[in-house]
């Protein structure tokens, strides 16, 4: 990639890394706890409106749109916000959520018939070891429940990646917006049931500026701007040149959480995080190695991101027999966004 596009890819990583700190500020605005599921619903109202009136519905089935919305957006961010409301540190959340890359490899093997390479399997093993170290270190200083919930968010994101890959939408941004329409009503309804009408109505009646700014940032910058740039880069370059930039997301997220929130990870969390990132790097920095479908098609390794999820399009081999990504595609969320 040229320098300009490399800087744009780095900018996306920064936007996605800061996303976690923005969520934390919004959830705990001025000492007031915002119901997490309601906060996700607010975010996706801003992701969907007014953009849905100007962006065409992607050329995929409603089943795919609903699946991406439920898994990649509602499931991922509902669980992520819940975990952070229960005390999951923003920086550590940005790290653990990257387990979605490893989980995508496993789910794609089970549901799409994609056979991971030995290097990708080694990355999965290394990443799982890193998560185990993080869990042990976390259990020594805080309850494990928020960590487990973030892993659930990563699993939901990975499931959304599989649905998005099957859908193969031509417009990643269109899939973000239209699938996002699935989120607000169900999560607002769940918030009414879980938190109660008084908490929901009280929050809406007295929205704090930090909560509003956080919702705007996560919707506009993390989701729409971030994925708009990301999709354009994947359409212009091989996925192997673009995807590795997302390894910067937890670095930015943990650094921003340290500076803005005073979060200092324990030595065990740092060691486990390095192992996890090593596993993710092993899985995505594969060069010419790819996953193979049972029918023999060559596929690019799954992408990763911190906001809404990623699903990369099938690649083709060039005349020399080496893999060249002819076109990349992110099927989006959360991300998700976070």
């Amino acid at each position: 990639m040229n320098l300009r596009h490399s800087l744009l890819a780095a900018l996306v990583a920064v936007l996605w890394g800061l996303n976690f700190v923005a969520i934390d500020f919004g959830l705990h605005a001025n000492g007031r706890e915002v119901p997490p599921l309601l906060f996700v619903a607010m975010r996706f109202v801003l992701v969907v409106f007014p953009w849905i009136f100007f962006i065409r519905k992607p050329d995929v089935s409603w089943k795919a749109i609903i699946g991406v919305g439920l898994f990649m957006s509602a499931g991922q961010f509902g669980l992520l916000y819940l975990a952070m409301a229960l005390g999951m540190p923003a920086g550590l959340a940005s790290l653990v959520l990257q387990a979605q890359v490893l989980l995508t490899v496993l789910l794609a093997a089970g549901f799409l018939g994609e056979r991971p390479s030995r290097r990708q399997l080694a990355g999965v093993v290394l990443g799982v070891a890193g998560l185990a170290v993080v869990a042990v270190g976390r259990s020594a200083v805080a309850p494990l429940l928020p960590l487990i919930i973030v892993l659930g968010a990563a699993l939901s994101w990975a499931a959304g990646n599989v649905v998005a890959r099957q859908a193969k939408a031509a417009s990643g941004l269109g899939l973000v917006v239209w699938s996002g329409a699935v989120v607000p009503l169900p999560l607002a309804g769940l918030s009414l049931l879980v938190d109660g009408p008084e908490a929901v109505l009280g929050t809406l009646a007295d929205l704090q500026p930090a909560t509003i700014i956080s919702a705007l940032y996560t919707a506009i910058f993390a989701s729409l701007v971030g994925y708009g740039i990301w999709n354009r880069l994947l359409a212009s370059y091989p996925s192997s040149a673009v995807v590795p930039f997302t390894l910067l997301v937890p670095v930015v997220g943990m650094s921003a959480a340290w500076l803005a929130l005073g979060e200092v990870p324990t030595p065990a969390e740092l060691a486990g995080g390095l192992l996890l990132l090593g596993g993710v790097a092993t899985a995505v920095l594969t060069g010419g190695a790819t996953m193979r479908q049972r029918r023999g098609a060559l596929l690019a390794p799954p992408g990763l991101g911190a906001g809404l999820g990623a699903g990369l399009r099938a690649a083709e081999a060039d005349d020399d027999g080496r893999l060249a990504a002819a076109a990349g595609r992110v099927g989006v969320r959360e991300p998700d966004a976070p």
Side-chain angles (χ1 to χ4, degrees):
M1 296 199 304
N2 61 37
L3 177 61
R4 176 174 174 269
H5 288 163
S6 296
L7 291 175
L8 284 174
L11 173 63
V12 172
V14 171
L15 292 176
W16 286 346
L18 295 177
N19 188 48
F20 294 87
V21 174
I23 293 170
D24 190 273
F25 275 126
L27 283 171
H28 311 290
N30 295 330
R32 302 187 182 184
E33 300 297 319
V34 176
L37 299 181
L38 176 65
F39 197 18
V40 179
M42 292 167 54
R43 169 181 179 164
F44 277 90
V45 166
L46 297 172
V47 168
V48 174
F49 297 103
W51 321 110
I52 198 169
F53 298 115
F54 303 100
I55 298 176
R56 288 184 179 182
K57 171 185 172 294
D59 188 20
V60 299
S61 68
W62 283 107
K63 181 179 178 181
I65 290 175
I66 293 172
V68 170
L70 289 178
F71 288 111
M72 196 176 286
S73 298
Q76 178 194 170
F77 291 108
L79 292 171
L80 174 64
Y81 280 47
L82 176 60
M84 293 180 67
L86 292 174
M88 184 69 173
L92 190 60
S94 71
L95 172 69
V96 174
L97 198 61
Q98 300 313 311
Q100 63 89 13
V101 177
L102 311 176
L103 293 169
T104 299
V105 172
L106 299 178
L107 290 183
F111 290 96
L112 300 181
E114 298 177 5
R115 296 172 55 192
S117 67
R118 292 181 179 178
R119 186 168 182 174
Q120 287 170 326
L121 287 175
V124 170
V125 172
L126 186 60
V128 169
L131 285 172
V133 174
V134 170
V136 171
R138 188 68 187 157
S139 65
V141 296
L144 274 178
L145 180 60
L147 176 65
I148 294 172
I149 294 175
V150 174
L151 287 176
L155 179 61
S156 185
W157 185 354
N161 288 341
V162 172
V163 175
R165 179 173 300 208
Q166 287 180 313
K168 298 181 180 178
S171 171
L173 185 60
L175 191 58
V176 171
V177 172
W178 282 81
S179 66
V182 176
V183 180
L185 286 179
L187 289 195
L190 279 175
S191 185
L192 283 170
L193 291 174
V194 174
D195 302 301
E198 183 177 349
V200 170
L201 295 177
T203 298
L204 294 176
D206 188 27
L207 281 176
Q208 298 298 302
T211 299
I212 297 173
I213 294 172
S214 171
L216 288 170
Y217 178 87
T218 56
I220 296 174
F221 290 98
S223 293
L224 298 174
V225 174
Y227 273 95
I229 296 173
W230 191 251
N231 293 341
R232 180 65 62 87
L233 293 175
L234 284 172
S236 304
Y237 295 97
S239 60
S240 60
V242 181
V243 169
F245 279 89
T246 56
L247 291 171
L248 296 174
V249 171
V251 176
V252 173
M254 297 185 80
S255 299
W258 173 51
L259 293 173
L261 303 173
E263 293 180 3
V264 180
T266 67
E269 289 171 349
L270 281 176
L274 289 175
L275 280 176
L276 172 60
L277 288 182
V280 172
T282 301
V284 300
L285 300 177
T286 54
T290 64
M291 293 185 296
R292 298 182 298 275
Q293 288 182 317
R294 289 191 181 110
R295 64 176 181 269
L298 290 173
L299 291 166
L304 68 151
L308 293 173
L312 300 182
R313 186 181 180 180
E316 297 176 352
D318 59 15
D319 294 336
D320 295 328
R322 294 174 300 176
L323 184 68
R329 206 183 271 160
V330 174
V332 283
R333 99 134 272 257
E334 246 208 197
D336 259 294

